[in-house]
Amino acid sequence: MGVLVTYNPKKQEKTVNFLTLTGMKVLIATEKPFAKTAVESMTKIIAGAGLEAALLEKYTDRAQLLSAVADADGLIIRSDKVTQEVVEAASRLKIVVRAGAGYDNVDLAACTARDIVVMNTPGQNSNAVAELAIGMMIYMARNRFTPGTGSEVSGKKLGIHAYGNVGSIVARYGKALGMKVYAYDPFVADKSVFARDGVVEAASADELYAGCDYISLHIPATEQTRRSIGYELLSKMPRGATLINTARKEVVDEQGLVQMLTERTDFKYATDVAADIQGLLDEKFGARVFASEKKMGAETAEANINAGLAAASQTVDFLLNGNRKFQVNK
Ligand code: 3PG
């Protein structure tokens, strides 16, 4: 690390500047910015390691991203899309770190073809997303805080679809609220985790949906999961059921959702990621559907700091030491 300390005798002030000894640049490009404190600490990590830190926030035009990334060696993003076009514009790029869990916004094939390492920061914003899922559940149970009789979540059955970092925290909070918690995740290798967490493992997605008053979705958006939550599955849910989606809008089959909401006037849907047809859903189904204005699962200062700092450290550690832990395009 290179540090330049200058002293201003008039003001009796000491200024510390980090020198960019490596000649490498890390761009933090976030259409939806991190909290200010997170950005400050990220910049310190990057500059402190002798790399230049550049910031592009709230950009409104792809051209701004294409131009900013042109001389970047590392790129830190949130839900920002890293497409083939971005990869082509970034001739020096060696690493992309998605500060967050889901990396469906990154064209992995395009990165891999250019030997660009892609990483995420698993677990760093999970608590924030889990808290939002629980908040949405209570919000829907209480008729979106409008006058009238709601219901309590205590004593109800909560189904966790995908038992990863977020799902397991939602399970813990659900239990604390007095809910009976079930989970379905065929990808969990160590099945003993369910018993340890006091969660009942469902044998299939059908069984999970059929038995639960609330389903909280935590599956990633992949080729296999896109539009996988449709009418067939949802129609198995009991009367008065609610689907909570803090995962990705793409995993829900929107036509199937419309059919379910139309046929089952007892059914509710809350999502952190507005559907493509959100306008129609709001118009047709009113208070039975809710969508946050902009994805807010990870929008807490704590999550921004956790994920942002992890992203900055991982980027630096790869560029300087070649550490590939958390690489997702192996
Ligand atoms: C994630 O995948 O980590 C969350 O969806 C958070 O996304 P965001 O950083 O765009 O808020």
Side-chain angles (χ1 to χ4, degrees):
M1 167 174 67
V3 181
L4 176 70
V5 183
T6 45
Y7 184 67
N8 181 336
K10 255 193 204 158
K11 288 189 182 170
Q12 296 200 335
E13 238 177 43
K14 217 194 288 172
T15 313
V16 181
N17 288 308
F18 298 103
L19 302 178
T20 58
L21 295 180
T22 60
M24 286 196 277
K25 175 171 158 177
V26 177
L27 173 69
I28 303 168
T30 49
E31 183 268 320
K32 184 175 65 182
F34 288 111
K36 206 168 168 279
T37 44
V39 175
E40 279 166 10
S41 304
M42 290 167 77
T43 308
K44 265 194 197 142
I45 291 173
I46 296 164
L51 287 79
E52 184 187 336
L55 190 61
L56 175 69
E57 290 183 326
K58 294 186 186 170
Y59 57 94
T60 48
D61 197 333
R62 302 252 343 130
Q64 291 170 273
L65 175 61
L66 297 180
S67 145
V69 83
D71 59 350
D73 298 276
L75 174 62
I76 296 174
I77 50 157
R78 295 185 63 178
S79 287
D80 307 79
K81 288 196 167 44
V82 176
T83 58
Q84 172 90 40
E85 190 186 21
V86 173
V87 170
E88 275 165 19
S91 58
R92 276 168 47 175
L93 197 61
K94 298 162 190 67
I95 180 167
V96 175
V97 180
R98 194 281 191 238
Y103 46 88
D104 46 302
N105 50 322
V106 180
D107 186 334
L108 290 189
C111 289
T112 307
R114 269 269 319 279
D115 280 334
I116 296 169
V117 167
V118 180
M119 293 185 189
N120 64 349
T121 63
Q124 300 291 350
N125 59 19
S126 305
N127 186 67
V129 180
E131 284 189 13
L132 185 74
I134 295 288
M136 282 182 150
M137 205 162 65
I138 295 174
Y139 185 59
M140 296 310 276
R142 292 300 183 94
N143 300 325
R144 300 176 52 175
F145 302 158
T146 55
T149 310
S151 62
E152 296 176 23
V153 296
S154 183
K156 303 293 186 309
K157 291 176 178 164
L158 167 62
I160 313 285
H161 193 166
Y163 203 73
N165 290 318
V166 183
S168 53
I169 302 175
V170 175
R172 182 152 42 93
Y173 294 163
K175 280 173 66 71
L177 286 165
M179 302 183 85
K180 176 102 179 136
V181 182
Y182 298 77
Y184 173 66
D185 191 335
F187 299 103
V188 168
D190 176 13
K191 300 285 182 197
S192 64
V193 71
F194 297 115
R196 266 202 311 278
D197 291 357
V199 168
V200 181
E201 188 191 4
S204 63
D206 281 6
E207 190 182 291
L208 185 80
Y209 282 66
C212 292
D213 306 295
Y214 292 89
I215 292 286
S216 192
L217 280 179
H218 303 291
I219 53 177
T222 64
E223 280 316 308
Q224 291 73 41
T225 63
R226 280 196 177 85
R227 289 184 297 284
S228 64
I229 311 301
Y231 179 76
E232 218 195 303
L233 204 50
L234 295 175
S235 59
K236 296 197 163 53
M237 292 186 77
R239 285 206 66 74
T242 303
L243 176 68
I244 307 289
N245 183 6
T246 54
R248 291 289 183 270
K249 68 174 180 188
E250 290 83 359
V251 300
V252 172
D253 168 25
E254 297 187 351
Q255 290 317 316
L257 178 66
V258 169
Q259 188 181 350
M260 177 70 179
L261 284 158
T262 309
E263 287 180 18
R264 288 273 305 271
T265 52
D266 58 294
F267 178 73
K268 295 179 190 169
Y269 178 59
T271 179
D272 186 32
V273 272
D276 289 336
I277 53 162
Q278 196 62 45
L280 178 133
L281 294 182
D282 291 339
E283 195 188 303
K284 273 188 92 165
F285 308 110
R288 283 199 290 135
V289 294
F290 169 79
S292 45
E293 228 175 275
K294 204 166 183 139
K295 188 161 58 144
M296 59 180 297
E299 282 297 81
T300 65
E302 293 89 339
N304 278 192
I305 290 166
N306 292 341
L309 266 59
S313 303
Q314 288 173 214
T315 305
V316 166
D317 203 15
F318 171 75
L319 288 173
L320 299 187
N321 310 316
N323 188 343
R324 288 170 181 254
K325 194 176 172 194
F326 302 116
Q327 181 174 359
V328 294
N329 62 334
K330 283 177 205 164

